[in-house]
Amino acid sequence: MAHAIGFEVEVKCSADTFYKFFKNNITQLVNCFPETYKSIEVIDQGDKPSVGSVRLWKYELAVNGENKSITWNFLDGDVMNFYRSFQIKLVSVTPTGEGSCLAKWSVNFEKDKGDLL
């Protein structure tokens, strides 16, 4: 059974800056949220499954500059050990005023085994 979760977040930066961050600089999340992301690396090979190890997720990226949307469809990697399908989408980024915007997100997934969230 497929599940979808949607949410909106008001962000204190321009819509263009927010969109371009996720399009071009996602590895910078370490600098923005050091309490959450210890490291993000672009790697060519997998790694050992241990605490603190870097995981390789293979995904298809779809970018729509006109709507400021980005879709990550995960195809391989550790996340696919738990899900039949897994998608994260930055649905839209809309300016709400000077120096702020509203980001709409969705997460769509189907569990591999069972129906538990």
Side-chain angles (χ1 to χ4, degrees), residues 9-115:
V9 179
E10 187 164 353
V11 183
K12 294 185 188 238
C13 70
S14 73
D16 283 338
T17 299
F18 187 80
Y19 170 72
K20 288 177 182 177
F21 176 83
F22 284 96
K23 180 181 175 195
N24 302 320
N25 300 310
I26 199 160
T27 58
Q28 295 301 313
L29 284 173
V30 173
N31 298 327
C32 299
F33 304 103
E35 66 284 351
T36 303
Y37 300 98
K38 301 304 177 200
S39 71
I40 297 174
E41 297 178 34
V42 176
I43 58 175
D44 295 326
Q45 301 175 5
D47 60 285
K48 298 177 186 176
S50 60
V51 174
S53 64
V54 177
R55 306 295 179 180
L56 173 62
W57 290 0
K58 295 182 182 177
Y59 57 89
E60 173 185 80
L61 182 66
V63 177
N64 183 325
E66 185 177 321
N67 296 333
K68 291 185 175 53
S69 69
I70 302 173
T71 303
W72 294 266
N73 287 310
F74 289 82
L75 306 172
D76 196 5
D78 289 344
V79 72
M80 299 313 294
N81 291 334
F82 304 100
Y83 298 96
R84 186 171 294 128
S85 64
F86 194 87
Q87 176 191 79
I88 299 172
K89 183 172 185 177
L90 176 57
V91 177
S92 65
V93 184
T94 308
T96 57
E98 190 173 323
S100 65
C101 63
L102 184 66
K104 293 183 181 180
W105 292 89
S106 70
V107 179
N108 300 290
F109 58 94
E110 187 174 358
K111 292 288 285 183
D112 191 34
K113 296 184 174 108
D115 190 33

